Amino acid sequence: MGGAALERPCGGDEPLRLMAVHAHPDDESSKGAATMARYVADGVEVLVVTCTGGERGDILNPAMDRPEIKADIGKVREEEMARAREILGVGQRWLGFVDSGFPEGDPLPPLPEGCFALEPLETAAEPLVRAVREFRPHVMLTYDENGGYPHPDHVKCHEVSVEAFEAAGDPERYQDAGDPWQPLKLYYHMTFSKERILALHSAMEKAGLESPYGDWLKRFEEEGDERARWEVTTRVPCADHFETRDRALLAHATQIDPDGFWFVVPLDVQREAWPTEDYHLARSLVDTELPEDDLFAGVREKVCL
């Protein structure tokens, strides 16, 4: 970026800090990546916390579906994550838990022993509490109680994120995990809201292009209001960073097919139809007025004195 230097997010010496907690490598690039890139450009310190290594993830890009990739999938996904975090300009920390896989079948098979989803809550949350106390985020991002979609690791990610948000500031809890630090706001990703999908679908049809969202809209109709449990409270303008988001997605080559779903809608259509990434404010210890257009609304006034 050229032009004048960006203003510091705070008037003092300490920058604002944002922590995004995700289940697997690639989740950070498909949910909230443009938001993170926007705040990085604004001088905010951003840390992605990745709960598992994605060791049981399927290879979703046919070009990467090779024996040598499958044989070393954990290492490959670690390298992909390194490229993505460099593109986004964020820090990143692994919690070190093992991917649970996505159980399929009727009845569902049991989850594998030792996986993240089966860890006791305090065992799973302790390293995240430690990360919160070391990084000292003002704002945290995670998934809702359904995980955004019902992958057991996403559900567990929600649970440990809420636990860490509520416990990290309490000196009586997790006493061996560092000095207490209380984040001020906790958000849930609302990436795939019905309103956004409808807007993109309509924009594609208006542009004379085939929409990839027909099946999505059918599912919305079948599920009724079930998916609408959480309202969107916060829309962060970040269209200028959609291209960075897409480059970060492509860094996860085992998970993202460059000819696949993620890139069907042209960027100019996306920017015009839906130029924000969206969130639900789940916890706040500061005063703020809804709706918001800034994850740090209310925080800036408290921190930047």
PDB file of all heavy atoms in Angstrom, residues 8 113 125 132 163 207:
ATOM      1  N   ARG A   8      -1.601   4.904  13.893  1.00  0.00           N
ATOM      2  CA  ARG A   8      -1.616   3.858  14.913  1.00  0.00           C
ATOM      3  C   ARG A   8      -3.027   3.712  15.453  1.00  0.00           C
ATOM      4  O   ARG A   8      -3.764   4.684  15.565  1.00  0.00           O
ATOM      5  CB  ARG A   8      -0.667   4.202  16.069  1.00  0.00           C
ATOM      6  CG  ARG A   8       0.807   4.125  15.704  1.00  0.00           C
ATOM      7  CD  ARG A   8       1.672   4.400  16.921  1.00  0.00           C
ATOM      8  NE  ARG A   8       1.454   3.427  17.969  1.00  0.00           N
ATOM      9  CZ  ARG A   8       2.043   2.244  18.007  1.00  0.00           C
ATOM     10  NH1 ARG A   8       2.835   1.867  17.052  1.00  0.00           N
ATOM     11  NH2 ARG A   8       1.809   1.413  19.005  1.00  0.00           N
ATOM     12  N   GLU A 113      -9.865 -42.084  19.656  1.00  0.00           N
ATOM     13  CA  GLU A 113      -9.303 -41.842  20.984  1.00  0.00           C
ATOM     14  C   GLU A 113      -8.184 -40.803  20.911  1.00  0.00           C
ATOM     15  O   GLU A 113      -7.360 -40.810  19.999  1.00  0.00           O
ATOM     16  CB  GLU A 113      -8.761 -43.154  21.562  1.00  0.00           C
ATOM     17  CG  GLU A 113      -8.236 -43.039  22.981  1.00  0.00           C
ATOM     18  CD  GLU A 113      -7.759 -44.373  23.530  1.00  0.00           C
ATOM     19  OE1 GLU A 113      -8.008 -45.396  22.868  1.00  0.00           O
ATOM     20  OE2 GLU A 113      -7.147 -44.377  24.611  1.00  0.00           O
ATOM     21  N   ALA A 125      -8.838 -26.286  27.159  1.00  0.00           N
ATOM     22  CA  ALA A 125      -8.844 -24.829  27.272  1.00  0.00           C
ATOM     23  C   ALA A 125      -7.555 -24.269  27.853  1.00  0.00           C
ATOM     24  O   ALA A 125      -7.216 -23.106  27.598  1.00  0.00           O
ATOM     25  CB  ALA A 125     -10.026 -24.371  28.126  1.00  0.00           C
ATOM     26  N   VAL A 132      -4.062 -16.575  25.602  1.00  0.00           N
ATOM     27  CA  VAL A 132      -4.759 -15.311  25.852  1.00  0.00           C
ATOM     28  C   VAL A 132      -3.954 -14.456  26.821  1.00  0.00           C
ATOM     29  O   VAL A 132      -3.770 -13.248  26.613  1.00  0.00           O
ATOM     30  CB  VAL A 132      -6.177 -15.579  26.391  1.00  0.00           C
ATOM     31  CG1 VAL A 132      -6.814 -14.288  26.914  1.00  0.00           C
ATOM     32  CG2 VAL A 132      -7.055 -16.183  25.309  1.00  0.00           C
ATOM     33  N   GLU A 163     -14.710 -20.631  27.226  1.00  0.00           N
ATOM     34  CA  GLU A 163     -14.064 -20.915  28.512  1.00  0.00           C
ATOM     35  C   GLU A 163     -12.863 -19.996  28.733  1.00  0.00           C
ATOM     36  O   GLU A 163     -12.690 -19.421  29.813  1.00  0.00           O
ATOM     37  CB  GLU A 163     -13.618 -22.376  28.548  1.00  0.00           C
ATOM     38  CG  GLU A 163     -12.744 -22.766  29.736  1.00  0.00           C
ATOM     39  CD  GLU A 163     -13.503 -22.924  31.044  1.00  0.00           C
ATOM     40  OE1 GLU A 163     -14.731 -22.704  31.062  1.00  0.00           O
ATOM     41  OE2 GLU A 163     -12.863 -23.262  32.062  1.00  0.00           O
ATOM     42  N   ALA A 207     -25.854 -10.351 -12.940  1.00  0.00           N
ATOM     43  CA  ALA A 207     -24.702 -10.244 -13.829  1.00  0.00           C
ATOM     44  C   ALA A 207     -24.753 -11.254 -14.975  1.00  0.00           C
ATOM     45  O   ALA A 207     -23.842 -11.300 -15.804  1.00  0.00           O
ATOM     46  CB  ALA A 207     -23.413 -10.425 -13.033  1.00  0.00           C
TER      47      ALA A 207
END
